[in-house]
């Protein structure tokens, strides 16, 4: 064992502590989705803790010692802070395991030829002992704070929804444990509803009653429904139901609601779906919101959100997915696809028929079938844009694509 060699390696790493910290944070963000979605201020905090933790472990390695009481007290405080900001304990513990592996890899990469076997074993033993000690401290701080917060079940349910929308869970098992503790059954493919709320009312209660139908049926809203309001937005996770049913419910609201409902997304896909929904509400033009009832807004769906993302070059834009969402129901029917392309190019059925070299009555039949299968009418400006971008987003060999399952929606026009 060479303490001097350990000290030299430690000093080299500490001299580049900023670079070491970047490597650790990058490893944690790559391995754990919850950390990749953190805000800049939160990432700065993660970096500060990573730098301090790496320094303390390397010091203890050189001194052939262990984490002391002051270190463990700090870890207990970190655990309490993570409970307050809603980061689940399994995610936090996994982050420290990933960080430990990153530090070990850095030591090996820099000094594998200078260290003896006893030095490497000492670092491995130290890290295992440190993980045990800091895990207990983190657990104590996290559980004590979580127990205090858990007394307010409504707040706990809202925090669960926040965590699902930001990806703050390490594994499906962590989600299952938390929902079981709260007595909530989460659908495998829930409907995510996001709405811009009108002001001047008790938003939380009104929103909960609206999305469950209690506002119009004078019934009680389910106690364990995952809903919340924040910064003018209402969010809810609902069991699967037809898009048209939900659209009628929101259209009957006492005040008009501008909303988007995204269906058939797995729980792990909710962060991306939420980003798309929020972007849709922020960027949707008025012509896309004309509802079937006077003064109401049409309920936007996955295709609407996908079009707005593609048009804006949003980070989650996916032209191929848009093509499947909108035109998937047409399958491999080249006559319908060519008829749609001809109509979009000419703007009327007669000219489209000449372009497609078919009878005008045949073209009108094709357009009717397109409306029936896609729920989009190419004569309506917004639907025309949706169909146009979907057609342009066709991947190579799109004719062989299979139809995708999609939520039903109102058909516009005859």
């Amino acid at each position: 064992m060479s303490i001097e060699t350990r000290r030299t390696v430690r000093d080299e790493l500490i001299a580049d502590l900023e670079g070491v910290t970047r490597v650790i944070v990058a490893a944690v963000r790559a391995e754990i989705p919850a950390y990749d979605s953190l805000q800049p201020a939160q990432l700065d905090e993660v970096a500060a803790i990573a730098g301090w933790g790496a320094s303390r472990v390397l010091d203890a390695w050189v001194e052939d010692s262990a984490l002391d009481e002051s270190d463990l007290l700090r870890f207990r405080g970190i655990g309490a802070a993570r409970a307050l900001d809603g980061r689940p304990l399994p995610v936090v513990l996994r982050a420290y395991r990933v960080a430990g592996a990153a530090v070990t890899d850095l030591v090996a990469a820099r000094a594998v030829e200078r260290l003896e076997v006893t030095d490497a074993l000492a670092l491995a033993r130290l890290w295992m002992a440190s993980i045990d000690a800091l895990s207990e401290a983190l657990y104590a701080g996290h559980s004590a704070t979580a127990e205090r917060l858990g007394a307010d079940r409504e707040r706990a349910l809202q925090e669960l929804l926040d965590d699902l929308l930001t990806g703050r869970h390490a594994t499906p098992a962590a989600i299952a444990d938390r929902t079981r503790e709260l007595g909530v059954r989460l659908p495998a493919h829930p409907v995510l509803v996001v709405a811009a709320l009108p002001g001047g009312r008790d938003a939380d209660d009104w929103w909960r009653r609206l999305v469950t139908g209690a506002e119009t049926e004078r019934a009680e809203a389910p106690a364990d429904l995952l809903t919340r309001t924040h910064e003018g937005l209402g969010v809810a996770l609902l069991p699967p139901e037809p898009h048209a049913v939900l659209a009628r419910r929101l259209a009957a609201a006492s005040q008009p609601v501008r909303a988007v409902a995204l269906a058939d997304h797995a729980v792990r896909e909710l962060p991306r779906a939420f980003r798309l929904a929020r972007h849709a509400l922020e960027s949707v033009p008025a012509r896309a919101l004309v509802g079937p009832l006077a003064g109401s807004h049409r309920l936007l769906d996955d295709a609407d959100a996908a079009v707005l993302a593609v048009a804006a070059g949003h980070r989650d834009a996916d032209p191929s997915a848009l093509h499947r969402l909108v035109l998937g129901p047409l399958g491999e029917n080249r006559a319908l696809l060519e008829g749609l392309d001809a109509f979009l190019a000419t703007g009327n059925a007669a000219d489209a028929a000449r372009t497609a070299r078919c009878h005008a009555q045949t073209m009108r039949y094709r357009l009717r079938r397109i409306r029936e299968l896609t729920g989009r009418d190419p004569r309506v400006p917004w639907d025309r844009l949706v169909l146009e971008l979907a057609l342009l987003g066709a991947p190579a060999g799109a004719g062989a694509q299979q139809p995708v399952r999609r939520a039903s929606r109102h058909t516009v026009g005859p």
Side-chain angles (χ1 to χ4, degrees):
M1 177 177 68
S2 172
I3 295 298
E4 287 304 318
T5 303
R6 293 188 197 180
R7 181 175 291 109
T8 300
V9 174
R10 187 273 314 273
D11 292 345
E12 291 174 359
L13 290 170
I14 296 302
D16 185 28
L17 187 58
E18 184 177 345
V20 169
T21 299
R22 282 198 302 270
V23 170
I24 295 172
V25 173
V28 171
R29 295 184 70 185
E31 290 290 330
I32 307 175
Y35 281 79
D36 191 41
S37 62
L38 294 181
Q39 298 300 313
Q42 293 173 306
L43 287 173
D44 289 343
E45 182 187 23
V46 171
I49 294 173
W52 167 75
S55 299
R56 285 297 300 123
V57 170
L58 291 171
D59 287 345
W61 180 48
V62 171
E63 297 162 3
D64 205 22
S65 61
L67 299 178
D68 58 29
E69 287 301 319
S70 64
D71 297 325
L72 298 180
L73 184 62
R74 181 167 180 178
F75 278 117
R76 182 184 175 99
I78 291 170
R82 296 296 75 80
L84 287 171
D85 66 18
R87 220 169 300 169
L89 185 59
V91 171
V92 179
L93 295 177
R94 186 180 175 198
Y96 281 94
R97 292 194 294 271
V98 172
V103 172
T104 302
D105 289 344
L106 286 169
V107 171
R110 183 177 292 268
V112 66
E113 296 181 355
R114 289 182 282 167
L115 295 173
E116 299 177 4
V117 173
T118 52
D119 296 316
L121 291 175
L123 180 59
R125 284 195 301 269
L126 170 62
W127 186 248
M128 286 188 291
S130 298
I131 280 290
D132 285 342
L134 68 86
S135 294
E136 290 183 3
L138 287 167
Y139 177 81
H142 194 283
S143 60
T145 304
E147 183 177 352
R148 175 169 56 83
L149 295 176
D152 185 348
R153 187 170 184 273
E154 183 176 350
R155 177 175 175 178
L157 289 171
Q158 291 182 345
E159 290 176 347
L160 170 61
L161 178 55
D162 284 344
D163 292 345
L164 292 172
L165 297 180
T166 54
R168 291 177 183 161
H169 285 93
T171 62
I175 299 175
D177 288 343
R178 194 166 174 193
T179 53
R180 184 170 55 251
E181 290 171 1
L182 291 171
V184 177
R185 178 171 294 181
L186 194 65
H189 292 82
V191 176
L192 172 65
V193 184
V194 184
L197 299 182
R201 59 170 66 249
D202 183 353
D204 287 329
D205 181 64
W206 181 80
W207 172 241
R208 176 186 294 270
R209 293 174 63 81
L210 175 61
V211 293
T212 60
E215 190 199 35
T216 55
E217 298 169 7
R218 302 184 182 278
E220 290 296 325
D224 62 354
L225 183 71
L226 294 185
T227 68
R228 81 160 306 159
T229 60
H230 183 63
E231 297 180 348
L233 288 181
V235 184
L237 284 187
L238 305 178
E241 64 178 325
H243 189 89
V245 173
L246 183 57
R248 286 194 296 270
R249 187 186 309 155
L250 296 183
S254 55
Q255 286 186 258
V257 178
R258 180 161 46 97
V260 55
L262 305 187
D264 202 28
H265 293 274
V267 172
R268 68 178 182 279
E269 299 167 344
L270 287 176
R272 177 178 181 273
F274 181 57
R275 291 193 299 269
L276 287 170
R278 190 165 51 186
H279 174 263
L281 290 179
E282 293 170 351
S283 59
V284 63
R287 64 181 180 276
L289 291 169
V290 179
L293 300 178
S296 69
H297 291 303
R298 185 174 65 84
L299 179 62
L300 303 178
D301 61 13
D302 280 274
D304 296 309
V307 161
L308 291 164
V310 168
H314 189 269
R315 60 179 283 195
D316 296 303
D318 187 342
S320 294
L322 172 62
H323 176 83
R324 293 192 301 272
L325 277 168
V326 179
L327 300 179
L330 303 185
E332 300 179 35
N333 193 321
R334 296 191 64 82
L336 293 183
L337 290 170
E338 291 172 358
L340 173 61
D341 187 55
F343 184 85
L344 293 174
T346 61
N348 65 79
D351 289 341
R354 283 191 289 273
T355 299
R357 298 182 179 181
C358 67
H359 194 276
Q361 188 62 29
T362 300
M363 177 57 65
R364 284 191 283 271
Y365 167 77
R366 291 176 182 177
L367 293 175
R368 184 172 68 251
R369 287 296 293 155
I370 290 169
R371 292 196 300 272
E372 292 170 350
L373 292 171
T374 68
R376 302 280 173 175
D377 187 340
R379 299 169 300 177
V380 174
W382 176 251
D383 285 348
R384 179 188 179 95
L385 175 64
V386 172
L387 291 164
E388 183 86 63
L389 289 182
L391 200 62
L392 293 175
Q401 294 289 326
Q402 294 297 316
V404 297
R405 184 159 59 92
R406 56 190 290 279
S408 61
R409 52 169 286 144
H410 290 300
T411 299
V412 182

